[in-house]
Each structure stands twice: as C-alpha cells, then as structure tokens.
Amino acid sequence: MQTLDKTPEQLRQDTPLTIAGRSFQSRLMTGTGKYQTFEQMRQSIAASGCEIVTVAVRRVQTNAPGHEGLAEALDWQKLWMLPNTAGCQTAEEAIRVARLGREMAKLLGQEDNNFVKLEVIPDTRYLLPDPIGTLQAATQLVKEGFAVLPYINADPLLAKHLEEAGCATVMPLGSPIGSGQGIRNAANIQIIIENATVPVVVDAGIGTPSEAAQAMEMGADALLINTAIAQAQNPMAMASAMGLATNAGRLAFLAGRIPVKDYASASSPLTGMVRS
C-alpha cells in the first residue's frame, strides 16, 4: 500500500527504525548526562519512550562526577546501550574507547552489542567534530565489526564518505552540542537526507519540541536529544514532549506537506456559491 493510500492509524504504525539489522519502534534516542539525579534520568528516559540510550564510556570508566554507577542505573534488558566516545580528541583515543564500550555492553548483558557513537572532538570551545579523525576512526572500527554511528558536521560529502566506509548511520549536528540553537544547517542536512542510504540521525542543538518536529519533517530517520531534556525545568515533561514531537514530525513527513506558494489559495472552492 502506498503512503497516499494509508489511513492515519496505518501511518502511525510505520516501519521500524533499523540500524545495523536491529529494529527499534522509537525514533528518539536520548542521553544520560547532565541530569540532577539518576531517578530523574530514569523517569525522563521512560517518559520519552526511547529505546536507545547513549552512555559516555570514558566518563563511566573513570567514575567522573555524575557518572558513578551510571551503567548499572538503567535496565539494559529494556534499553539498548549506545556507548559513545565522548571526550576523545583523536582517532586513536576514540578507537580505544570504542573497544572499552563494547566490553562494557557485554558485561551488562548485551553480548551482541557492537554499536558505538563515534565522537572525535579536539575543539574544546565549540565542540565541533574533527572530520578527518572521524573518518579514520570509523574506517578502522568498521573493520573491527562495529556498527558505527558517527557524529559529524552537516557535511554531505563527509556523510557520503562515512557511508561508503560502512557506517551504520550518519549523525549530522543541527547546531553545536548543548547550544539549543535548533536546526542551523537545514540545507546541508536536507542534502544528506536526500542522498543517504543509511539512517540519518540529527544529533545536537535541538532545544524545543518544535525543532525536533522540524528535523523529522525534513525526513530525518531519528533524533538524538540530551541537553534539551536533561536541563529543562521539568525534564520528564520535556522528554515526553520530545517523544511526541518526534512522532508528529515523522507522521507529517509521511503525510507529505503542501507545496509552498507565492500566492493565496482559497480553502473553499468558488464553484457552486450562492450569488445574489
């Protein structure tokens, strides 16, 4: 059945998000950082409806403040762990931390988890990812059997190179991490979406549910949102709002928006009108 023939209920059922052969019903991924308490984190993750949760391997391994016991704080029978290489400034560091992340996932019961969110960020002020280091690390990690989800600038050529290297997704930033500036790279993200044959996950910069919906309306396959939820005045309410916005944006994309016109178009037809 074509999308045009489907009822709203059928559209809501949608096809699952599939990454590296694994299927997920939710198209929202969330993080574990910046929450005030573990309980607040648990309740917010549950409210979001997400199934994939990213965990900073280095911060868990070193028991960084706010990360002591984090890996054990969530139910990994229900959630899929996405270890990330946050804090790594070089490809070599990221490769080493990715290997630790895979072992951490295995220790927590996810024996077949080869996922890694790849971050190579030498820039400590703007937190912009290094495109060369990211491609180098991704190429090696794919060879080692990882399902690599690379965090990148909204660069269509880099996205294509990473896809050709065997990455499971590409994850362009909407705007700098934690900035809440929204989708500042819409034109480039649209190009990435139109040309990708792997899922496109918009990651970083989303601050409001309307921005989450915007990214999904553009045709993104999924979103990763952390700061906008964790640092909201009411994280649980914001998590729920982000989940609803992700679904609404996806449904709007499947429904197909009207064309933008330079002129007005009456909602009611002029034919058949009663005239005096």
Side-chain angles (χ1 to χ4, degrees):
M1 183 182 292
Q2 298 295 317
T3 299
L4 293 176
D5 301 325
K6 291 185 177 180
T7 65
E9 183 58 35
Q10 289 169 325
L11 285 171
R12 286 190 197 99
Q13 293 173 358
D14 200 2
T15 55
L17 170 68
T18 302
I19 300 174
R22 190 174 186 90
S23 295
F24 305 92
Q25 294 304 314
S26 174
R27 291 176 179 269
L28 173 62
M29 308 176 191
T30 63
T32 50
K34 301 184 179 180
Y35 287 97
Q36 293 183 10
T37 66
F38 280 162
E39 186 56 30
Q40 187 183 73
M41 176 189 69
R42 280 191 289 263
Q43 292 178 356
S44 298
I45 289 172
S48 75
C50 77
E51 295 171 82
I52 301 175
V53 177
T54 186
V55 174
V57 177
R58 171 170 280 179
R59 290 167 190 153
V60 170
Q61 293 282 328
T62 59
N63 285 320
H67 290 76
E68 308 94 330
L70 186 152
E72 293 77 24
L74 294 171
D75 184 352
W76 299 112
Q77 299 300 312
K78 297 179 180 178
L79 298 169
W80 188 249
M81 180 184 289
L82 177 56
N84 76 54
T85 63
C88 293
Q89 298 188 346
T90 67
E92 293 74 20
E93 280 185 294
I95 292 167
R96 183 170 65 253
V97 171
R99 292 168 182 158
L100 291 173
R102 181 157 61 180
E103 293 307 311
M104 181 172 71
K106 288 181 179 178
L107 288 172
L108 293 170
Q110 297 187 2
E111 292 285 341
D112 58 342
N113 190 339
N114 291 313
F115 280 40
V116 62
K117 183 192 175 193
L118 176 60
E119 298 182 22
V120 181
I121 304 178
D123 166 27
T124 57
R125 181 175 183 182
Y126 299 105
L127 300 177
L128 296 174
D130 173 8
I132 297 172
T134 300
L135 182 57
Q136 290 173 340
T139 300
Q140 179 59 36
L141 290 170
V142 168
K143 289 178 181 177
E144 295 184 20
F146 283 89
V148 181
L149 290 72
Y151 170 63
I152 61 171
N153 288 298
D155 180 341
L157 293 179
L158 176 60
K160 184 53 65 176
H161 284 311
L162 287 162
E163 183 180 330
E164 291 169 350
C167 288
T169 71
V170 289
M171 303 180 73
L173 57 84
S175 53
I177 294 173
S179 69
Q181 294 178 20
I183 309 298
R184 292 295 183 92
N185 306 301
N188 277 14
I189 291 174
Q190 192 72 66
I191 294 170
I192 293 172
I193 290 169
E194 289 173 0
N195 290 280
T197 59
V198 296
V200 177
V201 183
V202 175
D203 178 15
I206 290 174
T208 64
S210 61
E211 292 160 358
Q214 178 192 357
M216 295 302 292
E217 288 169 9
M218 291 167 58
D221 295 281
L223 309 174
L224 199 161
I225 303 173
N226 182 44
T227 305
I229 294 173
Q231 295 196 333
Q233 293 183 30
N234 185 328
M236 286 169 283
M238 186 60 77
S240 179
M242 289 297 189
L244 292 168
T246 301
N247 291 338
R250 175 67 177 176
L251 184 57
F253 170 72
L254 294 174
R257 64 157 293 148
I258 63 169
V260 177
K261 300 177 182 178
D262 293 328
Y263 50 86
S265 177
S267 298
S268 300
L270 298 177
T271 56
M273 291 182 64
V274 177
R275 300 182 185 277
S276 58

